[in-house]
Amino acid sequence: MKCKSLACIWSRSPPVHRVTAVAALNEPPTLYTGGSDGSIIWWNLVSSPGKSEMKPVALLCGHAAPIADLGICFPVEASENGKLTSSSNTLSYPSSNNCGALISACSDGVLCVWSRASGHCRRRRKLPPWAGSPFMIRPVGDNARYVCITCCFVSQDHQSPYFLEGNESSVDREFQNPNPSKCTVIIIDSFDLSIVQRVLHGNVPIGPLLSMAVVLPSEDMEKQSVVVIDLFGKVIYLPVVKDPDQKGQNAPLLSKNFSTLEVMDWEDGSIEKGSLVAFSKCGYVLALVHRTHCTFRQAENGTIFGKISFLNHQLCFEDKLTVIGGIFLGDDTSISNNDFVKDFVAWNNRGAAVIYRISYSGSVFKSDTISVIPAVLYPSDTRLSFSFIPLTKYLLRVESICFHVKEHEFWRPHVTIWLLPQQNGECGELHLECAMFGEGNLFDDWAMDSSSSKTNHGIVEEDMDGKHSSSSRYATYGGGQLVSSSMVISENHLAPCAIVYGFFNGDIEIIRFHMFSTALDSLIESVPQEADSQGQKQHLSGHKGAVLCLASHQMVSKSGGSSLNHVLLSGSMDCTVRLWDLNSGNLIMVLHQHVAPVRQIVLPPCQSEYPWNDCFLTVGDDSCVALVSLQTLKVERLFPGHLYFPAKVLWDGVRNYVACLCPNRSDKADALDILYIWDVKTGARERVLRGDAAHSMFDHFHKAINESLLSGNLMNGNTSASSLVFPVIEPTNSKVPGKGIYPQNTASKNEPKTPESSNSIKGTGAKSGGLTSVFFQSDKHPIKSSCPFPGVSTLCFDLTSLISLCSMNELFEGGSHIGEKDHGNGAGTSTPRDDVHKRANSSSEELGSEMPSPNNVNGKSGSVSDESTVVTLEHHEWVRSLEGCLLQFSLSLLHLWNVDEELDNLLTTEMKLKRPNSFIVSSGILGDRGSMTLTFPGPNSTLELWKSSSEYSALRSLTMVSLAQHLISLSHSCSSASGALAAFYTRRFAEKVSDIKPPQLQLLVSFWQDDFEHVKMAARSLFHCAASRAIPLPLFSTKGNQHVNSQIYPHEVSEKEHNNTTEVRPPSDGKLETEGDFVEEEAEITSWLESYEVHDWISCVGGTTQDAMTSQIVVAAALAVWYPSLVKPRLSMMVVHPLVKLVMSMNEKYSAAASEILAEGMESTWKACIGSEIPRLIGDIFFQVECVSGASANASSQHSAASVKIRETLVGILLPSLGMADIPGYLHVIESQIWSTASDSPVHVVALMTLIRIIRGSPRNLAPYLDKVVSFILQTMDPGNSTMRRSCYQSSMTALKEVVRVFPMIALNDSSTRLAVGDAIGEINNATIRVYDMQSMSKIKVLDASGPPGHPKLLEKAVSTAISVLSFSPDGEGLVAFSENGLMIRWWSLGSGWWEKLSRNLALVPFTKLIYVHPWEGFSPSSTRSSIMASVLSDDGQVNSPGSSQGWTEMDRLKLLIHNLDLSYKLEWVGERKVKLLQHSNELGTYHFPNLSSTGKHQ
């Protein structure tokens, strides 16, 4: 499992966002806006008395192309075998997942499903190339799990027609298209984003698409249909097959020739051709919005039954004002084709809107104007776009306002909230003009979080009169601070060292992470420097246009005296590429290989050979790709001739090929994308592929590079290219051999040693060498960075890599020590040690020079030796200190500051954490396949993620608690602060902010068997602290504690709700639950256990469906054991068998945890459920032990280690608990194993070791079966079976000595030749003592311990305690036995001659002497323990009188005897014939025996 936490660093300028699509979710009230850059903003509706506000919560990063459309879906809706089925849009139990999700599609075919409950992307997939580019998303009416997506192939503006600006219309852009449109209509399952039906694929006889809708079946329509309409009012109906026989990307269900489809013309005979601007559907009514009017048609046949003119309401005025959109308000399925009353809104290109109430009854159509929304107050030349969308009782107007910075255009979103009129109000009573109820702006948080003023950001807000106003915000930018590109320099570095921003004015700014470099200073013996708490900034100027791309490269080889070490590359709108020295900030060279803006820089892959490992590619708008060498500072290759712009470029360093994918943006229906493949070495064009073959080959390149990639970024290092650009592929399981932390040796293994590199290897001094760094393999790099959008930088902290950094087996790789200097890089380059910000980049070089290296002991530095090196204590301590610095850096960025001031002060003073004051930091959560949800600046947005996502709460809490505990192990000086930090995220945070979500229990369970102890313990601590608040509703008991639906999307049970036991449901009046109640309860539990597929958390940790299923079982079992009063009584019965199956499945992740829970709750919970199945389960475990032991010899080491770990849990934890739960059954099983398994089987040793644990854990319950226990132990030491004796002897003797130590009625003489076993509990007239010979392991004598009646009152019962303690005399010639029941001591004289004479006679041997013991003070046959146990065993639950015990059964009496059995008696010999009797180490008396053994007489 992967536990990764995100920290997002925002630039000082807010992101631009031109809205191209909107969607709204009513519960909870949420707005989503999609942008032209692929970003999606998540807005929450925050209501307060008299005012509402739209607050931006997070930026959803999953697309790198314009958002085509957004839609609402319910991914967890019920379905049958993947077919479209009807659903009630609810699950069988309340779930947070039922609140809906957002599905988004961008123009390059990537689909994402964003969970509203968890806030992250639960699925991310790319449509196949044949599907085309998504254009519109609509829900499938009868099942919200499925959505219908229309895709097109021509170059259409992927902006919704409702977002047209100014006087522009969709028809103006594309009035005539003589060729038939090629489009695809598919049905998508939103659960896994698979294609379940292909409705249409091919050319259709209509023009450019306008809209699409899904119409439900009716009396006139037998099948569900997809209605597709073009810009000219031409309509086609496409039937949807209800139950497709095939699923996926198979043959289309309809004929490929769609030109014969019936086309209906709904142009209405308008004078103005192509005036249709919008299309809306509600139930069986279709609305066609034209520029001046709107017509309403019946969905079945297209018959017009109503019309509204917009000319009467000033929505239209000549060419200045035109209607651009219209939608129905309310539920989409609430209108029939007969009688209805519905609200409809239409708006124009200045944001003015009119709300109509339309009705249709008795073939009479009526429309009334009920409300008007005024237009926006921006200057007439301002470019605007609008959309309206209903949200609960409000109507939202989403505005996009354009502002200019020099020749560039930027857009900002603005949302206004208008209160909708009520349906039951009379039109005459309604206010004609709506009042604005609230608004939302994206810039507010930047103004709040930035330490500088708004004018420093270039933002000026003014109204029409030039005065500042909040009601009429017109934003302009002063320029100079708008980010055009950004990147994080982190590749090949221990931690991110800097963020680089490129601006639209051509400037470049470098901001370094001095919160980490300052911590590193403590590891370097140098003059202390005063660290800049705000970080150091470096400005570079020179570009005449916007900086469009950035990259940084660390030189591998040296050539011709070049002193280049770390180079910054920048491409600009001015068509140039500039090379900068990253250490000094000096300009190296300006390249002019392009005649158009430079859009992308591609660095060489890690596998590149010399000399290509010091080259880079540039991609320009001139459709040319150039290869530049940093050694020669010249353009070495040009790859021209691309017909279109190479939007995606991949460099395969293994095969030395460059793949350039050029999308065809032409208007032709048969336009095909083209892939060019170039040979880097020769510069020749190897192949040109088109269409689907181009995409398939590009994906093949992508997968091949991904499998052999060492870095965490497909862009091969530090570049500004978005991590979302490349195709979405299935994750691979391939691992690069080797792992760990070591100095970077960037020179390729195949690189020839040039004279310069040879000299550098032989190097001169410790100060020589360039910018080197501690290097991490991709699977161990603790912090990875990316920039999904300009100005948005993310740092991903991998918990496993952070904790495993200084593991001893990972300190060096292939003999390369962590402290070793690599002089092959940067010979002749010096870095001033007094330059703090340079040491941040060259930290490992300087640290390496300070630490002794095994390869530099004699003052000589050489290449990496093949001989193994020894990790010295100094190096280990250096790595531990380095790890501590890295943990401090991580905690500084991940901690939620300003919530607990006392904790913050403790962290800064004791733990030495640095507040990230120089950065605008927020949080985030990773989604499926690289997608991210990033909260906006400000504490409210981050807290909203805590309040809405239990997955985020679990991941962030687990990371913080684990790192805090791990930091204690590294440095005890900060133990107080670490403990306070762990306590804050465990429980104090929930106390301070009561409405945050408790951690997801299933997610925490998945880390219970983590390889690192700190992670494991943190997960378990968080589980116990959150369990009472996070019990899933289907498992929650409504008897002891009632749950109230106080949360919008119920998922957990809060502590407050547990106390409200009588306010929700009336009392049951003492009636017992009926069988129907049990059936309903079991159905709810079963439904929850089988609902593992609906959970979102598995995509957060990279889990599988199996992980979800098994974690559900473990959570249910843990709650049944630890919180039985809070869960339903039937839960234990329902989950026990799945739990047992999970244990026996030997699952590497969960079987051990399941075994522990099964063992811990065996007596209290599981024994009542599976009591009769325990012996079979014990036998199954022995079988697993046999299989694991047999397979381990042939299995791989990794598999063997996992199997052995599970075996240790089964043997060490589960098996003893099963044995203690059913001791007779266990003894029967192990006795049968003697004969059914091989003599050398490990099963016998396991049985003995388990027996020892049972002896220690439940000795009294084992007392009635001591004879079987001893017999089994002696059988394993049988001299007749030498194989078993040899393999089991040591364990058998250990078990035997443990039996003698625990049970006083078993004695072993001093020479260990004789063993005596007395009856602890038995019939008083048949009590015996068996004597065994330890050489032959056979029974040699039986002593009669029945004795005389003694005191009658003490011998009433047939079954009682017989022998309390035994002891051999020091000379081994006598045996003494004391019986508490009868208070007598008996002596058997066992002379050696007597033993030889009677050695083969098993007749009962009477005692030699009898001594009665006087009752001691406090002794009573009816002790307090008896009275207590009697009350426990009574059927009526009342305390019994002494006489009532006569009604007990034999089983009750046996339980009472076992409970009262005293194992504290002891006999100590004082001299040869005196013995002292003790109880609980208190002396009860001393008794003398005469020398009777010599006479051989008996008394």
Side-chain angles (χ1 to χ4, degrees):
M1 292 294 178
K2 303 174 184 178
C3 182
K4 298 183 178 181
S5 297
L6 281 182
C8 179
I9 301 177
W10 298 84
S11 67
R12 289 294 176 181
S13 61
V16 296
H17 186 72
R18 181 185 182 183
V19 179
T20 60
V22 294
L25 187 64
N26 289 331
E27 289 295 336
T30 308
L31 172 69
Y32 297 98
T33 58
S36 58
D37 59 348
S39 63
I40 301 173
I41 295 181
W42 161 17
W43 308 73
N44 272 3
L45 177 62
V46 180
S47 297
S48 59
K51 184 180 179 181
S52 294
E53 185 179 7
M54 294 302 301
K55 295 292 293 183
V57 177
L59 188 72
L60 309 183
C61 307
H63 303 280
I67 300 298
D69 201 7
L70 302 175
I72 300 299
C73 60
F74 290 80
V76 297
E77 291 298 328
S79 66
E80 299 176 1
N81 301 323
K83 299 179 180 180
L84 304 181
T85 57
S86 298
S87 174
S88 61
N89 291 341
T90 58
L91 295 174
S92 57
Y93 59 90
S95 170
S96 65
N97 298 280
N98 196 36
C99 68
L102 173 74
I103 181 169
S104 58
C106 66
S107 59
D108 64 355
V110 175
L111 304 179
C112 293
V113 175
W114 307 87
S115 172
R116 176 57 179 87
S118 62
H120 82 295
C121 178
R122 67 190 314 272
R123 288 291 183 273
R124 184 170 183 246
R125 298 292 186 273
K126 182 176 174 60
L127 291 175
W130 57 260
S133 177
F135 178 70
M136 189 161 289
I137 300 174
R138 291 293 180 266
V140 176
D142 60 347
N143 195 322
R145 171 170 174 167
Y146 299 91
V147 296
C148 181
I149 298 181
T150 301
C151 305
C152 58
F153 289 83
V154 297
S155 178
Q156 296 204 27
D157 187 353
H158 289 276
Q159 184 179 356
S160 170
Y162 305 152
F163 289 91
L164 302 178
E165 53 187 84
N167 296 327
E168 184 183 10
S169 70
S170 57
V171 180
D172 294 334
R173 295 193 311 264
E174 210 164 354
F175 183 79
Q176 293 292 337
N177 189 352
N179 298 322
S181 297
K182 183 181 179 181
C183 63
T184 303
V185 179
I186 52 179
I187 305 296
I188 296 290
D189 185 352
S190 63
F191 176 75
D192 56 5
L193 292 180
S194 61
I195 300 176
V196 298
Q197 185 178 149
R198 191 159 23 165
V199 181
L200 170 67
H201 179 58
N203 295 327
V204 290
I206 59 176
L209 299 183
L210 171 69
S211 186
M212 174 263 297
V214 179
V215 180
L216 297 176
S218 64
E219 297 179 356
D220 299 332
M221 298 174 59
E222 297 180 357
K223 297 180 179 179
Q224 192 168 227
S225 299
V226 177
V227 181
V228 180
I229 185 170
D230 70 358
L231 293 172
F232 309 103
K234 294 182 179 180
V235 179
I236 59 173
Y237 277 76
L238 303 172
V240 178
V241 178
K242 187 70 174 179
D243 296 320
D245 296 330
Q246 296 175 329
K247 179 181 179 180
Q249 303 169 15
N250 298 322
L253 298 172
L254 300 179
S255 171
K256 292 183 179 180
N257 184 15
F258 297 101
S259 59
T260 59
L261 289 174
E262 181 182 357
V263 178
M264 293 177 284
D265 189 355
W266 289 358
E267 187 64 24
D268 298 340
S270 300
I271 300 176
E272 186 180 0
K273 187 68 175 178
S275 64
L276 186 63
V277 296
F279 174 77
S280 181
K281 190 266 302 184
C282 188
Y284 298 98
V285 177
L286 305 178
L288 278 71
V289 182
H290 298 259
R291 293 181 178 182
T292 59
H293 65 277
C294 177
T295 59
F296 298 91
R297 296 174 179 263
Q298 294 181 356
E300 297 92 335
N301 49 30
T303 303
I304 298 178
F305 63 85
K307 183 176 180 180
I308 296 177
S309 176
F310 302 137
L311 297 176
N312 299 330
H313 302 95
Q314 297 183 352
L315 287 177
C316 304
F317 180 74
E318 297 180 352
D319 294 334
K320 295 182 179 180
L321 296 178
T322 58
V323 173
I324 61 172
I327 56 172
F328 287 99
L329 302 180
D331 190 3
D332 181 39
T333 60
S334 61
I335 292 184
S336 66
N337 55 358
N338 296 321
D339 300 331
F340 66 86
V341 177
K342 198 67 176 176
D343 289 348
F344 182 84
V345 60
W347 63 92
N348 65 13
N349 53 350
R350 299 303 296 172
V354 177
I355 302 176
Y356 301 90
R357 180 155 297 162
I358 61 175
S359 61
Y360 184 70
S361 178
S363 301
V364 177
F365 176 82
K366 182 181 179 182
S367 65
D368 297 300
T369 301
I370 60 174
S371 189
V372 175
I373 295 177
V376 295
L377 300 178
Y378 295 110
S380 59
D381 59 344
T382 304
R383 296 184 61 189
L384 305 167
S385 65
F386 300 96
S387 180
F388 285 77
I389 188 168
L391 179 65
T392 62
K393 60 181 180 179
Y394 303 107
L395 181 63
L396 307 182
R397 182 172 66 191
V398 182
E399 311 167 9
S400 289
I401 306 101
C402 179
F403 53 90
H404 298 268
V405 177
K406 297 183 178 180
E407 70 275 13
H408 303 287
E409 295 180 349
F410 303 94
W411 296 78
R412 53 161 288 187
H414 185 68
V415 182
T416 55
I417 308 171
W418 309 84
L419 185 63
L420 283 173
Q422 300 298 319
Q423 282 282 357
N424 56 359
E426 296 294 336
C427 297
E429 299 177 359
L430 295 176
H431 297 289
L432 193 57
E433 181 172 328
C434 285
M436 191 173 69
F437 204 67
E439 60 183 332
N441 196 338
L442 187 58
F443 289 175
D444 295 340
D445 289 322
W446 265 267
M448 177 182 61
D449 282 274
S450 174
S451 59
S452 59
S453 64
K454 290 184 179 181
T455 56
N456 290 339
H457 297 167
I459 304 173
V460 180
E461 295 185 355
E462 56 185 7
D463 62 9
M464 302 298 295
D465 298 327
K467 299 180 180 180
H468 293 277
S469 172
S470 60
S471 60
S472 177
R473 299 184 177 182
Y474 176 57
T476 62
Y477 277 68
Q481 292 296 325
L482 285 174
V483 176
S484 57
S485 60
S486 60
M487 73 170 182
V488 181
I489 302 178
S490 64
E491 191 72 15
N492 301 340
H493 287 266
L494 178 66
C497 62
I499 297 180
V500 184
Y501 293 113
F503 298 101
F504 278 94
N505 67 347
D507 292 342
I508 298 175
E509 183 182 57
I510 304 173
I511 306 178
R512 304 186 185 272
F513 289 101
H514 277 279
M515 65 185 73
F516 179 64
S517 61
T518 302
L520 283 178
D521 287 342
S522 62
L523 303 180
I524 306 175
E525 297 178 1
S526 61
V527 179
Q529 300 285 338
E530 183 66 25
D532 183 3
S533 62
Q534 296 300 319
Q536 289 191 356
K537 297 181 181 180
Q538 187 177 10
H539 295 273
L540 308 177
S541 300
H543 281 295
K544 303 303 180 182
V547 180
L548 302 181
C549 54
L550 295 165
S552 69
H553 177 70
Q554 189 168 338
M555 295 295 292
V556 177
S557 303
K558 300 300 170 185
S559 111
S562 173
S563 60
L564 291 182
N565 182 30
H566 206 167
V567 182
L568 176 66
L569 312 171
S570 60
S572 172
M573 283 287 292
D574 60 10
C575 311
T576 64
V577 176
R578 291 180 175 257
L579 281 62
W580 313 81
D581 188 329
L582 193 57
N583 292 331
S584 65
N586 296 326
L587 178 65
I588 300 172
M589 176 170 281
V590 181
L591 301 174
H592 300 270
Q593 67 267 31
H594 293 282
V595 295
V598 182
R599 295 287 178 181
Q600 185 178 346
I601 298 176
V602 181
L603 295 179
C606 297
Q607 303 87 350
S608 298
E609 300 178 353
Y610 175 85
W612 315 110
N613 48 14
D614 274 332
C615 298
F616 64 93
L617 297 173
T618 60
V619 184
D621 277 348
D622 54 4
S623 300
C624 182
V625 179
L627 176 70
V628 182
S629 172
L630 288 172
Q631 296 183 18
T632 63
L633 299 179
K634 296 180 181 179
V635 177
E636 300 292 344
R637 299 282 188 275
L638 278 178
F639 307 113
H642 302 96
L643 290 181
Y644 315 108
F645 171 70
K648 298 178 181 179
V649 178
L650 284 178
W651 187 348
D652 188 344
V654 176
R655 293 170 290 185
N656 276 318
Y657 284 109
V658 172
C660 304
L661 183 63
C662 305
N664 189 341
R665 302 301 185 188
S666 66
D667 295 339
K668 297 180 180 180
D670 57 350
L672 298 176
D673 298 342
I674 305 177
L675 176 67
Y676 297 86
I677 301 176
W678 303 87
D679 189 334
V680 176
K681 293 182 178 180
T682 64
R685 187 172 64 190
E686 291 291 329
R687 185 173 298 183
V688 179
L689 301 174
R690 290 176 170 82
D692 293 351
H695 287 276
S696 298
M697 179 59 71
F698 192 78
D699 290 345
H700 175 72
F701 261 85
H702 186 190
K703 292 179 182 179
I705 295 174
N706 189 67
E707 290 175 356
S708 59
L709 198 60
L710 288 178
S711 68
N713 187 355
L714 260 177
M715 298 309 301
N716 304 321
N718 303 296
T719 69
S720 59
S722 173
S723 58
L724 307 172
V725 169
F726 285 97
V728 181
I729 62 172
E730 294 290 339
T732 59
N733 295 324
S734 59
K735 294 291 183 181
V736 179
K739 58 183 178 179
I741 167 177
Y742 54 93
Q744 178 188 7
N745 183 12
T746 54
S748 172
K749 296 181 180 178
N750 300 325
E751 176 186 345
K753 291 184 180 179
T754 62
E756 293 80 6
S757 63
S758 299
N759 292 335
S760 66
I761 291 177
K762 294 179 181 178
T764 56
K767 298 298 180 181
S768 64
L771 187 63
T772 60
S773 60
V774 178
F775 178 76
F776 287 88
Q777 296 282 6
S778 63
D779 59 339
K780 300 301 293 182
H781 206 298
I783 305 175
K784 294 182 180 180
S785 61
S786 64
C787 290
F789 300 103
V792 182
S793 306
T794 62
L795 302 180
C796 181
F797 298 83
D798 189 335
L799 178 60
T800 301
S801 299
L802 285 171
I803 289 186
S804 64
L805 182 62
C806 74
S807 299
M808 289 296 293
N809 61 342
E810 297 175 357
L811 287 175
F812 54 94
E813 156 114 0
S816 176
H817 199 279
I818 187 170
E820 178 186 353
K821 276 179 57 71
D822 184 5
H823 295 278
N825 296 332
T829 305
S830 62
T831 303
R833 295 187 55 183
D834 58 348
D835 190 341
V836 180
H837 76 269
K838 291 182 180 179
R839 283 204 306 274
N841 285 332
S842 58
S843 57
S844 66
E845 178 203 31
E846 298 183 1
L847 291 174
S849 64
E850 297 295 330
M851 298 302 301
S853 171
N855 293 336
N856 197 18
V857 175
N858 299 323
K860 300 178 181 179
S861 64
S863 60
V864 177
S865 172
D866 292 335
E867 298 178 359
S868 60
T869 58
V870 179
V871 180
T872 62
L873 179 61
E874 291 82 2
H875 283 101
H876 183 56
E877 292 299 325
W878 180 80
V879 176
R880 288 176 63 87
S881 300
L882 195 63
E883 184 180 17
C885 295
L886 192 61
L887 293 182
Q888 290 175 341
F889 172 76
S890 304
L891 291 173
S892 297
L893 290 176
L894 294 177
H895 175 57
L896 187 60
W897 298 93
N898 302 322
V899 174
D900 189 330
E901 290 297 332
E902 182 180 352
L903 174 63
D904 294 348
N905 294 332
L906 189 62
L907 295 179
T908 54
T909 56
E910 181 177 311
M911 195 180 286
K912 308 301 181 184
L913 296 189
K914 303 292 183 181
R915 289 176 180 258
N917 295 326
S918 57
F919 302 97
I920 302 178
V921 181
S922 66
S923 187
I925 182 173
L926 274 177
D928 187 32
R929 304 189 184 185
S931 57
M932 293 174 282
T933 299
L934 308 176
T935 62
F936 285 111
N940 293 332
S941 298
T942 300
L943 285 177
E944 180 61 33
L945 201 56
W946 281 96
K947 296 175 182 179
S948 62
S949 175
S950 57
E951 290 83 0
Y952 171 81
S953 176
L955 287 173
R956 183 55 59 93
S957 300
L958 180 62
T959 298
M960 299 302 292
V961 175
S962 300
L963 293 182
Q965 294 178 352
H966 185 55
L967 197 58
I968 296 177
S969 65
L970 296 178
S971 175
H972 294 287
S973 61
C974 60
S975 58
S976 176
S978 298
L981 183 64
F984 175 78
Y985 286 96
T986 303
R987 63 179 185 276
R988 290 186 61 188
F989 188 21
E991 296 172 357
K992 286 183 170 293
V993 186
S994 59
D995 55 345
I996 66 170
K997 286 274 188 177
Q1000 176 88 12
L1001 298 183
Q1002 293 91 318
L1003 192 151
L1004 295 175
V1005 162
S1006 66
F1007 288 92
W1008 277 9
Q1009 296 301 320
D1010 193 84
D1011 294 334
F1012 298 98
E1013 191 66 25
H1014 292 134
V1015 180
K1016 183 189 305 182
M1017 298 308 298
R1020 300 193 176 208
S1021 299
L1022 288 168
F1023 183 94
H1024 285 286
C1025 291
S1028 61
R1029 297 181 294 120
I1031 298 177
L1033 287 180
L1035 310 184
F1036 181 61
S1037 174
T1038 57
K1039 287 186 176 181
N1041 301 277
Q1042 294 290 346
H1043 182 81
V1044 293
N1045 295 324
S1046 62
Q1047 297 182 359
I1048 297 177
Y1049 30 93
H1051 183 59
E1052 295 93 5
V1053 178
S1054 65
E1055 294 176 351
K1056 180 180 179 180
E1057 291 164 352
H1058 282 305
N1059 299 327
N1060 298 333
T1061 58
T1062 59
E1063 298 176 0
V1064 178
R1065 182 174 297 182
S1068 59
D1069 299 331
K1071 296 182 180 180
L1072 298 177
E1073 285 188 305
T1074 63
E1075 184 177 353
D1077 296 331
F1078 281 119
V1079 172
E1080 182 180 358
E1081 184 176 302
E1082 291 180 359
E1084 291 181 354
I1085 296 173
T1086 302
S1087 176
W1088 185 84
L1089 290 175
E1090 295 176 353
S1091 67
Y1092 51 86
E1093 290 186 348
V1094 308
H1095 292 284
D1096 296 332
W1097 67 268
I1098 56 177
S1099 58
C1100 296
V1101 297
T1104 63
T1105 303
Q1106 184 185 25
D1107 295 319
M1109 176 181 62
T1110 51
S1111 63
Q1112 294 271 94
I1113 298 172
V1114 174
V1115 167
L1119 295 176
V1121 173
W1122 296 329
Y1123 304 93
S1125 62
L1126 301 181
V1127 297
K1128 294 179 179 178
R1130 301 286 296 175
L1131 178 59
S1132 58
M1133 185 67 69
M1134 298 296 298
V1135 78
V1136 63
H1137 290 97
L1139 183 67
V1140 171
K1141 291 180 181 179
L1142 178 58
V1143 170
M1144 303 314 299
S1145 67
M1146 302 295 284
N1147 183 284
E1148 297 179 8
K1149 298 179 183 178
Y1150 300 97
S1151 287
S1155 301
E1156 295 174 4
I1157 295 176
L1158 191 62
E1160 186 172 349
M1162 183 56 64
E1163 281 293 333
S1164 61
T1165 307
W1166 312 122
K1167 185 177 180 180
C1169 304
I1170 58 168
S1172 60
E1173 303 178 25
I1174 291 179
R1176 179 186 58 80
L1177 184 56
I1178 295 173
D1180 292 342
I1181 293 178
F1182 280 127
F1183 177 75
Q1184 290 285 2
V1185 171
E1186 181 74 19
C1187 293
V1188 170
S1189 302
S1192 60
N1194 301 324
S1196 63
S1197 59
Q1198 181 179 1
H1199 178 72
S1200 299
S1203 300
V1204 169
K1205 184 178 180 180
I1206 299 174
R1207 171 186 166 178
E1208 292 175 353
T1209 305
L1210 292 177
V1211 172
I1213 299 177
L1214 179 58
L1215 200 56
S1217 67
L1218 292 173
M1220 285 183 279
D1222 189 356
I1223 292 178
Y1226 176 78
L1227 295 175
H1228 174 75
V1229 172
I1230 62 175
E1231 288 174 356
S1232 64
Q1233 294 292 331
I1234 291 287
W1235 312 107
S1236 61
T1237 58
S1239 299
D1240 59 348
S1241 172
V1243 168
H1244 308 305
V1245 177
V1246 169
L1248 290 167
M1249 301 309 296
T1250 303
L1251 192 59
I1252 294 175
R1253 292 185 172 92
I1254 297 175
I1255 292 170
R1256 294 172 180 173
S1258 184
R1260 288 189 175 87
N1261 292 331
L1262 194 62
Y1265 312 100
L1266 290 179
D1267 195 44
K1268 289 187 176 182
V1269 171
V1270 173
S1271 176
F1272 172 75
I1273 296 175
L1274 297 181
Q1275 276 185 298
T1276 59
M1277 296 189 293
D1278 186 5
N1281 191 339
S1282 59
T1283 302
M1284 182 180 296
R1285 180 182 176 89
R1286 183 170 55 253
S1287 62
C1288 299
Y1289 184 79
Q1290 185 176 0
S1291 301
S1292 300
M1293 287 303 299
T1294 303
L1296 186 62
K1297 291 178 181 179
E1298 188 67 18
V1299 170
V1300 173
R1301 183 190 69 82
V1302 172
F1303 296 100
M1305 60 284 302
I1306 300 179
L1308 186 68
N1309 64 355
D1310 292 343
S1311 60
S1312 298
T1313 58
R1314 298 289 183 269
L1315 178 70
V1317 181
D1319 291 334
I1321 296 176
E1323 294 184 6
I1324 199 63
N1325 295 325
N1326 295 323
T1328 60
I1329 301 174
R1330 281 78 58 199
V1331 182
Y1332 296 88
D1333 178 24
M1334 294 301 294
Q1335 294 182 352
S1336 62
M1337 302 299 166
S1338 59
K1339 187 190 299 183
I1340 59 175
K1341 193 59 58 185
V1342 180
L1343 309 182
D1344 185 8
S1346 58
H1351 302 286
K1353 291 185 179 181
L1354 301 180
L1355 301 177
E1356 293 176 345
K1357 302 167 186 176
V1359 178
S1360 182
T1361 55
I1363 305 299
S1364 298
V1365 60
L1366 287 176
S1367 179
F1368 282 98
S1369 62
D1371 56 7
E1373 297 184 356
L1375 182 69
V1376 177
F1378 167 71
S1379 297
E1380 183 188 48
N1381 191 5
L1383 296 178
M1384 48 188 167
I1385 296 178
R1386 281 166 283 189
W1387 165 274
W1388 285 267
S1389 182
L1390 310 176
S1392 59
W1394 184 74
W1395 277 111
E1396 291 294 332
K1397 182 177 180 181
L1398 301 176
S1399 61
R1400 298 186 181 277
N1401 187 0
L1402 296 180
L1404 293 177
V1405 178
F1407 58 86
T1408 303
K1409 183 177 179 61
L1410 172 67
I1411 299 176
Y1412 288 107
V1413 177
H1414 294 286
W1416 54 87
E1417 184 179 357
F1419 174 79
S1420 173
S1422 300
S1423 63
T1424 305
R1425 289 180 300 151
S1426 301
S1427 301
I1428 295 176
M1429 191 62 187
S1431 64
V1432 171
L1433 294 177
S1434 62
D1435 294 335
D1436 55 3
Q1438 299 177 356
V1439 179
N1440 293 317
S1441 62
S1444 64
S1445 63
Q1446 296 181 358
W1448 289 4
T1449 63
E1450 286 297 321
M1451 183 60 66
D1452 296 336
R1453 291 194 179 94
L1454 180 61
K1455 289 181 180 180
L1456 181 62
L1457 288 173
I1458 293 174
H1459 177 77
N1460 291 331
L1461 183 63
D1462 195 341
L1463 300 179
S1464 65
Y1465 288 107
K1466 187 177 180 181
L1467 290 172
E1468 289 185 358
W1469 288 92
V1470 183
E1472 296 184 355
R1473 290 294 176 264
K1474 286 186 178 180
V1475 65
K1476 184 188 299 183
L1477 178 63
L1478 299 95
Q1479 183 189 34
H1480 297 294
S1481 300
N1482 298 322
E1483 183 178 351
L1484 301 180
T1486 303
Y1487 305 94
H1488 176 74
F1489 296 95
N1491 190 9
L1492 301 174
S1493 59
S1494 59
T1495 62
K1497 295 183 181 180
H1498 303 259
Q1499 294 184 1

